[in-house]
């Protein structure tokens, strides 16, 4: 995976996230509020699982 591919993936993520906020602002607000209510340990675990999944998918897509 090159740096250019990594940057392209980050830009695609930002574009999708922006579209979600534009299309569903109230749902995103509720999701953020529920995220704030999570215990730090649970939030850390969810973050690690999502990061591992993203890295795995990105690796498969770039091969």
């Amino acid at each position: 995976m090159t740096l250019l591919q990594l940057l392209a993936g980050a830009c695609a993520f930002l574009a999708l996230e922006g579209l979600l906020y534009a299309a569903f602002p109230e749902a995103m607000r509720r999701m953020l509020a529920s995220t704030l209510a999570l215990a730090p340990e649970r939030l850390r675990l969810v973050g690690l699982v999502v990061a591992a999944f993203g890295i795995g998918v990105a690796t498969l897509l770039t091969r």
Side-chain angles (χ1 to χ4, degrees):
M1 183 179 330
T2 67
L3 180 60
L4 186 59
Q5 289 170 325
L6 185 64
L7 289 174
C11 290
F13 170 79
L14 290 174
L16 288 173
E17 186 178 15
L19 287 173
L20 286 173
Y21 278 101
F24 310 105
E26 289 304 316
M28 293 301 287
R29 188 178 301 233
R30 287 191 306 271
M31 187 269 312
L32 286 172
S34 66
T35 301
L36 288 172
L38 286 176
E41 298 80 20
R42 178 75 172 222
L43 190 57
R44 186 174 293 118
L45 177 62
V46 170
L48 287 172
V49 168
V50 171
F53 178 77
I55 290 168
V57 171
T59 301
L60 289 174
L61 292 175
T62 57
R63 287 186 178 210

